Amino acid sequence: MSSVSEMVEEGQTGEEDVWQWRLKQQMISMQFRTLTSPNPLDKLSKLHSQSDISQASRFHSSWRSPLQRAKYEYLRGKVLDVVPDYRKDAEDHLSKAVKLNPSLADAWLCLGSCIWKKGDLLSAKNCFNLALSKGPNKKILCLLSMLERRMAQGSENQAEIVEESIKHAKDAIALDVKDGNSWYNLGNALLTSFFVSGAWDHSKLMQSLKAYQHAEKDQNMKDNPDLYFNCATVNKYLENYERALSGFEAAALKDPSLNATEEVHRMVNVLNKLETLLRGHAKSKRVAALTSSLSTVNLNSSYKRTSLDMLSDGLNKAVAIVGKVLFFVKHENVTPLYYLVCDSSQMCFVLSVYGMRSDAIKEEDQLMLLEPYYRYVDFAWMEKHYQFKSIRVDFVEQVVVNGKALSSLNAVRSSIYAQHKP
């Protein structure tokens, strides 16, 4: 890094070069100290009073150019904004910068990030849009996408706002298809869409997973624990249990402050419950008694009756499974709902239900599962082997309970969002 004397030797003796160099030095110093100080805000205050900014500020009274003043105000505001909490003095300097030079995209971007910290999301979005109006920029687009996901929480038009987030995430990738952060951001947007839409669309999950896989190709993303956590979350809802457990474990190693270890424990607990229930009731007398009347159930002419052992992996079109609910499996996670069910041939399986009220299906209810999504789970984790048949239900329209179709009132939306840090 160049020193002042080296800058003079190279002929960079202008006053502007000196203060720019001093501010850059100060930013590096402040970032290091705020990360290592036990009380960053106290350290920052002391540092500010003794800093090179105080020396650099002596120059500003002699500046004639508004552009020089704007650059100075921007850099000073950026330095003050390095801490995670909102600082009004940072906003004041950044506001001066954009007034002096409205074309300074970096200042608009920094101002938007600063205002976001105090919770003024609409003003922050206006700043990001003004920054973007100066020219396409992947960093601005990613921040705008993140902000829109935050704005979607609790709003009446969640789905629309999240679609905007997805669009801006894709626009960022179009500017640099190798940028891992842009792909990670798109993965988060698609995962959020999976939840807020209420559709529980498999395609959104698969697209999210592919985006995360693209992000993993960028070496700069290898140490991002949130990437591993969110990718594991997608695999959990795709019921790729082994991949999900491995992903959460990797996230926990990279950042113990995440609740990844708790996710592993919760998943293992529910898998152990499922395995115990299946083993204990696979050939019980209760199964025989409950399933005795299933063969007489009439099906809609649009569907052909089949049994569990005749299903193929994945979506089974134009067929239906008839079964009885043995148990509702209580567990710590909100989604999915798990049931132990047996079909007309007395074969037991796990039914996982998404986007549905917990009281829509009860124990000993008769179920007709239309176009079931089937998979055979078979994997080992921590020296324990899990093997069971599973059917997944994503929509209320796929289930007929005790001969009656479920109404749309039984559908619910989840308020789960992809983990990210502004």
Side-chain angles (χ1 to χ4, degrees), residues 107-127:
W108 282 114
L109 176 61
C110 200
L111 179 60
S113 296
C114 178
I115 292 173
W116 185 349
K117 292 176 184 178
K118 75 172 181 179
D120 189 350
L121 305 186
L122 188 58
S123 294
K125 183 174 181 178
N126 289 336
C127 289

Side-chain angles (χ1 to χ4, degrees), residues 4 54 190:
V4 173
S54 298
L190 289 164

